[in-house]
Amino acid sequence: MSDVKKVVLAYSGGLDTSVIVKWLQETYDCEVVTFTADIGQGEEVEPARSKAQALGVKEIYIEDLREEFVRDYVYPMFRANTIYEGEYLLGTSIARPLIAKRLIEIANETGADAISHGATGKGNDQVRFELGAYALKPGVKVIAPWREWDLTSRETLMAYCEKHDIPVDYSKSKKKSPYSMDANLLHISYEGGILEDPWMEAEEDMWRWSVSPEAAPDQPTYIELSFEKGDIVAIDGESLEPHEVLAKLNQLGGDNGIGRLDIVENRYVGMKSRGCYETPGGTIMLRAHRAIESLTLDREAAHLKDELMPRYAKVIYNGYWWSPERKMLQAAIDATQENVCGVVRMKLYKGSATVVGRKSEQSLFDESIATFEDDAGAYDQKDAEGFIKLNALRLRIAAGKGRKAD
Amino acid sequence: MSDVKKVVLAYSGGLDTSVIVKWLQETYDCEVVTFTADIGQGEEVEPARSKAQALGVKEIYIEDLREEFVRDYVYPMFRANTIYEGEYLLGTSIARPLIAKRLIEIANETGADAISHGATGKGNDQVRFELGAYALKPGVKVIAPWREWDLTSRETLMAYCEKHDIPVDYSKSKKKSPYSMDANLLHISYEGGILEDPWMEAEEDMWRWSVSPEAAPDQPTYIELSFEKGDIVAIDGESLEPHEVLAKLNQLGGDNGIGRLDIVENRYVGMKSRGCYETPGGTIMLRAHRAIESLTLDREAAHLKDELMPRYAKVIYNGYWWSPERKMLQAAIDATQENVCGVVRMKLYKGSATVVGRKSEQSLFDESIATFEDDAGAYDQKDAEGFIKLNALRLRIAAGKGRKAD
Amino acid sequence: MSDVKKVVLAYSGGLDTSVIVKWLQETYDCEVVTFTADIGQGEEVEPARSKAQALGVKEIYIEDLREEFVRDYVYPMFRANTIYEGEYLLGTSIARPLIAKRLIEIANETGADAISHGATGKGNDQVRFELGAYALKPGVKVIAPWREWDLTSRETLMAYCEKHDIPVDYSKSKKKSPYSMDANLLHISYEGGILEDPWMEAEEDMWRWSVSPEAAPDQPTYIELSFEKGDIVAIDGESLEPHEVLAKLNQLGGDNGIGRLDIVENRYVGMKSRGCYETPGGTIMLRAHRAIESLTLDREAAHLKDELMPRYAKVIYNGYWWSPERKMLQAAIDATQENVCGVVRMKLYKGSATVVGRKSEQSLFDESIATFEDDAGAYDQKDAEGFIKLNALRLRIAAGKGRKAD
Amino acid sequence: MSDVKKVVLAYSGGLDTSVIVKWLQETYDCEVVTFTADIGQGEEVEPARSKAQALGVKEIYIEDLREEFVRDYVYPMFRANTIYEGEYLLGTSIARPLIAKRLIEIANETGADAISHGATGKGNDQVRFELGAYALKPGVKVIAPWREWDLTSRETLMAYCEKHDIPVDYSKSKKKSPYSMDANLLHISYEGGILEDPWMEAEEDMWRWSVSPEAAPDQPTYIELSFEKGDIVAIDGESLEPHEVLAKLNQLGGDNGIGRLDIVENRYVGMKSRGCYETPGGTIMLRAHRAIESLTLDREAAHLKDELMPRYAKVIYNGYWWSPERKMLQAAIDATQENVCGVVRMKLYKGSATVVGRKSEQSLFDESIATFEDDAGAYDQKDAEGFIKLNALRLRIAAGKGRKAD
């Protein structure tokens, strides 16, 4: 294990990754570079500096990646109306490629030959980190302590801390959430604890970002979202950067009890797991994006997007953001968004985000054709007969040969 | 036009199809057979008898098809988690194949050589009726009066009624809804009127089946839905037939403001149209079915279903229920439902239908593997390394050859 | 019919389209602009000028489009390894969008308000011409004489010629091929005659571009094809323009009996038809392109291309080249071709085009990993265990719950 | 390693698997059961008995599985026109699920708790054997000696033989093929040796089942293949069992130089490898099946099959025969084959298998409609106008709004 000279660690500043710093130093006899990013998880990142210093780390990276995260990862993903397994908005999945990319870039800058992360050996995140890392730096060494060490119980971990003088904030530790959580600007996730029984309803005090629908205001909130090329660029007429849009929608959604989700999902490593998610802004964005597409996107392009979407979602969920197939799918998706512009009006009320209006200068809705009233010849109803007759031809021939249709 | 001897008409008993009866008799000099079905539209069908008799119709079919409709059409469709264009639950589309089938069966029974319907030349329903008819009886003649006649304005229609002594209920006519509506056990739809401007919000008094979320009870309702092979067979432990399930869920959903939808959709005939839908029961069923599948269905089968679903939805929306491709897709879908059994617990509250628990004897969720706690060796975390390494191999080789991943 | 002022006709110079010139002038009392293109059909186009002049045409377009045809249509299509229904290389389909585009451009230049073509009402070509025309100029009037006139038999056509002094080359007419043919640089097609019985073998003297495999040389021909970004840029080291490549490969393939095809295909208008095709160069190109991709293209990108290909083929076959869905698919395809560079060596022999070698500087084939010999640690065989174990996990869990795999 | 009591080994009787018998006995101190199957590899299987006995094996299974192999694996796969990566007919892949199934059944019969095979850690076969085994018996222990032992060079292997008195047929060993080969009734494969350079052409004396096209007869051979429900049931009118069909077609194809293939393919474990294959009968079957489908299968079912095929091929190639997704796809495929009946006439000549005729009582080819001659009103050409107009509507609306189609 002596061949690692320097390792870049995705460092949260919390207990687990602090232990990892020490364990890496000790086990690999190597230098550790810490990398801590603000991707909107809602916790200060600056405190990670002193903690890292206290652990003897000399190269400390602390970065605000919120803008890049939403602009280059969340927004492209939402152009595809991406949902995994019909429900999940991929809040954790979409943050990993950016972390992987920065880990590798920092490794290149600091001359490190390895990277490390605090994800367990059962989850998807290890896969996402490592696939990204290998794709970006094929010779990199990846160290996943949770797959290697024997500190697998709280007791052994605590003993390790005591032995190595790693400060444990016991007060915090005691009131520690019983859930395993992950947060960024797109969502917060909860796993473990009573959620390990899929029949048990999540407790109300688990949720952190949203009020319950019951506790939300009795009056609905109406908002207008402006789109340019498939991306939201303004709320109620106010221009905002992507990460500002998402932050604002999280606020609006959370206040109205929007975006809670409770599912059982299929992990890439082969098991089912139960997770709860809060994605207030994302839930609104998805609905709104579909609405503006419904007005401005060609039918066949829309249908093809819908057919490709589950594949695209799986690619991201499984950790293949940095892959040729993701590039290929993104090219197809982005090629459709040129005219996805306009405004969507939504009603937010006690858990629901409902589209109530949409308009666009690029609208393909043609009232003069669609109308139930006299259309002045815009559409010749007689065309329908030939349309139906030829579409039915293969069916008629088959039936004429005695084939049964039912 | 003299070669039609007898025509079976899909007859609602309303003014428009009453006019069609007379118009067919007059234009084609043929006998008219009327067919009126209760598919849960919420109006009495028996009154259609005397109306038809008054128009001189001798062969009158009035049937209760609710059971067959839900069992053989709605339920199979829901096994696929079917949604058209990300939103629409296909409430109108799924009723048409059954009507088409009965029209043809009655034509065969009565020796009729033609069928007729009251759908316009702009919509999808003409396509669905006629594709079904041609697929089931290739030589049938289809008469679509709205594509043929010149009674295209209310005035000409009224003049026709007066001339032919067709009774018009003016009181009803006056308070007539400004919307074009269609209803069956799965949904009620609204088009036209102010909806022709997609920016205008639907008026509250348009909706008929559901209270507004605001007017719904302040306390949530919890229900438990039992599944066998992908179909709901009981609510709160009470066994029900499919159409009883749907009726009951419509009641529960409607009471809680669930199932309203406002969309712009792409019609098969090439135009975009705006429609509003109420699908209270269906909205609950869809969520619940996904939830029970999440626990009991294999990952890859689930993902393949998700990829095929948009295609399946399009097949139904476009009117190809009676087609080889629908059969083929149905075979694939049904092959996955053997073990989709268990119970889903849902919370209904002011417009939201939320899954809060699911359990099954066929569950593939393995708590001993998924747990964050000690799993006693059920899963070897070291396997993940090889898994990731080989999945990354193609990416590493490409990166090693200088290919850029970003 | 008086509202057409000027019409641009796709004019071959042959009898049928000469009749159309006259018929358009007479029926619509309008000016006719003729457009004749050399797309490699192997016949002189210049003679069309005097024929058109003789018919009183004042605006005559005669153009050599071979370069544009292969570069902008054939080559992009081959990047997708496009085959319709497992067999057909789309030789006719791919030429139509270019003709449609030029018809519309000429209409715009000459101020014409209509276009016309000589395709029948049963085939795919009418659809391809007209979809293209409408997509490029939505208000254009399309005149399809074969769907309108009553000159549907040879006799009535000849009578029309006599009446209007249209010269008929009787000697040519007599020895006229019994087949309906269409040719361009990519292929020549045959339909009709004895081919209308799918059990009858095509006669040897029908084929025009290739010798029979039996008559081909007894010695194989070896060639090397050089690719850049998915396109062939040189043959045996000699740089060539796309249309020169195709012409050369047609020669080489035809000499060796390569590229004959005899199929029953499904037309977009709903019927099956039997056609024979000669595509000597295209057959070689397809094989070679797959071979260079096999060496240089990522696995998942390749597989996704394979899954999208039938859709892409259908889009082109059905006439939707000028559509958002084709653009979208093309974007996905083109995004994969950056590194599809290298050389493929092929053996041409009595009807077969066989790949015997391929090499590339962008090769992803890694001999040091793939070798059966000692790989010096390039690949750790132990990784395979974890890979298999986790890929099997969902299957093991299901089997453990008593699910049957067979 | 002492917890294995009895292991069932896929035993060929050759040197490598003989070494494995001894190595298993020694390493695991367990009983070994050998299983040797005739799946048409063209070598006697009975000699394996005495070899196994000499190694001290008490339970010896030797079986003729040719009938089951072709009927239950090869035939279902060919119903889908299955090809991997556009070229490969999956000859090796399709044999593995049957071997895996028998290994597990024998394990159950003999009370064995483990299975073993001689596949290397770099290839696909280990994956196919093991995924099948785990799917059929989730708790089984799999022993893959090539991933475990240190006998990785010919020298160490020979030393092991000498030490353990395992007879080595040196004469055979000397003239041993330089290629790694695998054979069954569907194909024979070659890897390794000079093939590890993808630019090198395979040597003529490598090929074993087919003559070269050059050496094939100068006269073509014509055959007629009869299909029932998608499967070949007779050749030239003579009824044959599936495995007899394949054996006969191998003979006919091999005699005419048909079925050689030379490709670079993407392995599931992440690397590209170069392989040569001879699949004489399969090559004929694929072409013939497509031909009979072209006449008898509905267009949309055929197209959906084509879109699903690459997925189905990948499922089989990757080793997921015993999976829910394969079942699901097979259900879809089989649902289309009811009417795939009739006769295909083929010409075999110097490397080419060409379809020259096809007929069927279930034919959907309607000569009266398809004809270029007068069709007596079977098809109304005027229907085409409405068909095109409505299919163009979305394109016209988009163009009318100023969208560019090119």
Side-chain angles (χ1 to χ4, degrees), chain B residues 269 305 307 311 328 332 393, chain D residues 269 305 307 311 328 332 393:
Chain B
V269 293
K305 281 189 71 202
E307 291 186 55
R311 176 76 62 97
M328 187 182 171
L393 184 53
Chain D
V269 293
K305 282 188 70 202
E307 291 185 55
R311 176 76 61 98
M328 187 182 171
L393 184 54

Side-chain angles (χ1 to χ4, degrees), chain A residues 190-335:
Chain A
Y190 310 88
E191 295 181 303
I194 65 157
L195 299 179
E196 292 192 358
D197 178 355
W199 181 247
M200 294 291 289
E201 184 171 359
E203 296 160 316
E204 179 53 37
D205 68 359
M206 175 191 78
W207 306 98
R208 306 220 164 176
W209 282 14
S210 61
V211 302
S212 72
E214 289 89 335
D218 288 329
Q219 296 303 320
T221 304
Y222 283 85
I223 58 173
E224 292 185 13
L225 303 175
S226 301
F227 284 84
E228 284 294 331
K229 301 192 179 188
D231 296 336
I232 301 179
V233 296
I235 300 177
D236 289 333
E238 182 191 2
S239 292
L240 296 169
E241 293 302 306
H243 65 290
E244 296 168 334
V245 165
L246 189 46
K248 175 81 175 170
L249 292 179
N250 279 337
Q251 188 61 50
L252 287 163
D255 287 350
N256 286 287
I258 288 165
R260 293 182 175 187
L261 181 66
D262 173 349
I263 56 169
V264 173
E265 74 197 57
N266 290 293
R267 285 195 192 148
Y268 189 26
V269 292
M271 71 186 69
K272 288 181 183 290
S273 76
R274 197 264 190 98
C276 288
Y277 302 97
E278 279 173 293
T279 320
T283 301
I284 297 169
M285 281 168 59
L286 174 69
R287 275 258 144 111
H289 186 262
R290 275 215 170 267
I292 193 65
E293 282 195 341
S294 77
L295 204 60
T296 59
L297 191 56
D298 171 76
R299 181 186 69 197
E300 295 303 310
H303 291 187
L304 185 50
K305 281 189 69 203
D306 281 350
E307 291 185 55
L308 292 177
M309 186 275 283
R311 178 75 63 98
Y312 178 77
K314 187 173 185 166
V315 162
I316 294 175
Y317 184 87
N318 287 355
Y320 293 97
W321 180 268
W322 301 114
S323 73
E325 62 271 27
R326 210 276 306 175
K327 266 189 185 174
M328 187 183 171
L329 288 164
Q330 196 73 53
I333 292 159
D334 290 353

Side-chain angles (χ1 to χ4, degrees), chain B residues 390 393-395 397, chain C residues 299 387, chain D residues 266-272:
Chain B
L390 291 202
L393 184 53
R394 64 184 172 97
L395 306 174
I397 292 173
Chain C
R299 180 187 70 197
F387 178 75
Chain D
N266 290 293
R267 285 196 193 148
Y268 189 27
V269 293
M271 72 186 68
K272 290 182 183 288

Side-chain angles (χ1 to χ4, degrees), chain B residues 319-335:
Chain B
Y320 293 96
W321 180 268
W322 301 113
S323 74
E325 63 270 28
R326 210 276 306 175
K327 267 189 186 175
M328 187 182 171
L329 288 163
Q330 196 72 53
I333 292 158
D334 289 353

Side-chain angles (χ1 to χ4, degrees), chain C residues 25-61:
Chain C
Q25 291 165 336
E26 197 180 47
T27 310
Y28 285 89
D29 190 21
C30 68
E31 248 188 275
V32 174
V33 180
T34 59
F35 163 56
T36 310
D38 182 356
I39 49 170
Q41 63 268 50
E43 283 176 13
E44 294 291 312
V45 288
E46 197 48 40
R49 187 178 310 276
S50 57
K51 292 186 182 176
Q53 285 167 335
L55 290 159
V57 175
K58 287 171 198 145
E59 291 171 290
I60 297 169
Y61 285 77

